[in-house]
Amino acid sequence: MIRLVHILSLLGLMTFSGCLSGTSEDDIDLLPPEISSIAEDIPIAPGYFQEVGAEDNAIPIHFKVTDPSGISQIKLQSHSGFDGHSHGRFANDFSFILFRHYQLLTEENLAGANTFTADGEELMIYLDDRNPEIGTGNILAGPYHFSIQATDLNGNESRYADNSTYHTTLLIQRPYAPQIEYTTTNRNLSQMELSIRKNEANALATDLRFVWIYIENRAGVNPWQEGEVTQEWVFGESNWPHQFRPTSGAPLPSTQELSLQELLSENIQIKDQEVLVVWAEDTAGNISLKRIEF
């Protein structure tokens, strides 16, 4: 009986001690830092599917990270999205450079602050010789994935699975890549004026090699996500394996210039919440990607 009383007394002391030390499950920090826009009128940049102009050599970065326990590190990354997420390619002899960006802000830079703001003045993505991985070379045009990931002082890290990591796709355009031009956005594609051509005025331009046209339904998806592909047409042979489409299709009618009417003979009507996507490659591996909303 004495032993039982002693045990119960110990349990009571442990419970009381736990209350004093604040170690209940409710007090444990399990939340990652929040990545958001700086203000309502200053959205996160680069934005979702942001087009980077053919002459742009720097991309400002805007975002805010907050965490009540303090920020340990912030990681910025960008890499090729040419192949979906398989990160492979058929050819390895391209004279152009696959662009990459990696930047790590550590506790040394952040000093455990509860808030960090990037206002586009100091943090930049460089696409020229200011980026040592590019130097004086020319980058491959195309879609590149971009992400912002953050960790707090308790080790909680933002994740892709719950969208607490910010991620999107940059569409980097270049004058030597295939040129996609359109003048109307008629929902009936047989009446839409759109062309894909080699830029003869640029000495680095090469012949058209592959075209992928598809219609994407964005109903019910997050803004960073591609939607469901409802129809697609594939021509030529791609430089890049891709997990979401065939790598070859019908022969290209021309390697110099193409029209939408040449490629799509059907009478196709674009519906609400659908996007027309045109993906064009040249023999040098460059990709031009245009997302057209109606």
Side-chain angles (χ1 to χ4, degrees), residues 216-232:
E216 180 184 289
N217 187 341
R218 293 190 48 74
V221 303
N222 291 322
W224 57 268
Q225 287 180 312
E226 287 88 354
E228 177 191 2
V229 175
T230 57
Q231 294 185 74
E232 65 179 344

Side-chain angles (χ1 to χ4, degrees), residues 30 33 36 55 61 68 93 103 106-107 109 128 130 137 144 163 168 186 196 199 204 217 249 293:
L30 299 175
S36 64
E55 306 301 329
I61 300 175
D93 58 351
Q103 193 166 6
T106 64
E107 194 172 343
N109 311 109
D128 55 17
R130 288 170 291 181
Y144 287 86
N163 299 330
T168 188
N186 196 305
I196 307 164
N199 185 2
L204 297 176
N217 187 341
E293 301 188 13

Side-chain angles (χ1 to χ4, degrees), residues 64-112:
K64 182 172 69 175
V65 175
T66 55
D67 191 279
S69 67
I71 304 163
S72 171
Q73 70 174 30
I74 299 171
K75 189 188 303 179
L76 309 175
Q77 292 188 88
S78 189
H79 57 261
S80 162
F82 293 15
D83 43 20
H85 296 279
S86 60
H87 305 302
R89 59 178 170 180
F90 292 133
N92 293 301
D93 58 351
F94 296 140
S95 58
F96 294 87
I97 299 167
L98 271 173
F99 161 70
R100 286 177 295 180
H101 178 80
Y102 180 84
Q103 193 166 6
L104 182 65
L105 303 176
T106 64
E107 194 172 343
E108 182 180 336
N109 311 109
L110 304 166

Side-chain angles (χ1 to χ4, degrees), residues 7-21 23:
I7 292 172
L8 290 174
S9 298
L10 285 174
L11 288 173
L13 284 170
M14 288 170 64
T15 303
F16 181 69
S17 175
C19 291
L20 288 177
S21 61
T23 56

Side-chain angles (χ1 to χ4, degrees), residues 103-124:
Q103 193 166 6
L104 182 65
L105 303 176
T106 64
E107 194 172 343
E108 182 180 336
N109 311 109
L110 304 166
N114 301 111
T115 301
F116 174 84
T117 301
D119 59 6
E121 294 295 325
E122 296 181 3
L123 294 184
M124 304 280 282

Side-chain angles (χ1 to χ4, degrees), residues 26 33 92 134 201 279:
D26 291 340
N92 293 301
I134 297 172
W279 168 304

